[in-house]
Amino acid sequence: MKFINIGEGAKVDGLKLTRNTVVTDDMSQVVFVDVGKNGEVINLDAEGNQILTPKAYKDFLNSRTQELKLSINEFSEQLKLIENDIAKAKINRQLKIVQEELNLIPESSENKFNYNRALSQLKDTCVNLGYGVLAGIITTKLGF
C-alpha cells in the first residue's frame, strides 16, 4: 500500500504528510512516500504518522477515550461554577451529546468525526454564551 508515489526524476518541494494512521495486519507492505529513480523530495514534513494493527488501534482508541473522559470531568467541574442556570443547561445539553459520541468512538473510528463535530458545537455554544474559559478547556484538552 502506497500513499504517495513520486515518479522517476520528479522533484517535490514542501511535501507535508502528518498525523496519518494506517491500520493493517501486514505492516511490511505500507509505504507512505515512494520516490522513484532519481526522484527528490525537499522539505518533507512527516510528523506523527503511525502504522498500527487492528488490536493496537483499538487499544489506542480506548486509551485516548479514557483520557478524554477525565478531561470532560474537569470541564464539568468548571461548568458547575456557572451561576446562570439557563446558560448552564444549554452547555450541559451539548456536553451530553459530546459524551455520547465519545462513548461510540471505540466501536468505530468513523465516530471520531461525529465527536469532533459535537465538540465544535459545544465550543461554539460556550463562546456564544460568553464562557471563553470553558471554550479554552475544550480547545486545549478535549480534541481528538
Side-chain angles (χ1 to χ4, degrees), residues 7-18:
E8 291 186 24
K11 293 186 180 184
V12 177
D13 186 14
L15 179 60
K16 185 173 184 177
L17 186 68
T18 58

Side-chain angles (χ1 to χ4, degrees), residues 40-53:
E40 186 177 346
V41 176
I42 303 168
N43 299 322
L44 172 65
D45 182 4
E47 177 187 0
N49 296 308
Q50 54 187 347
I51 302 171
L52 301 171
T53 63

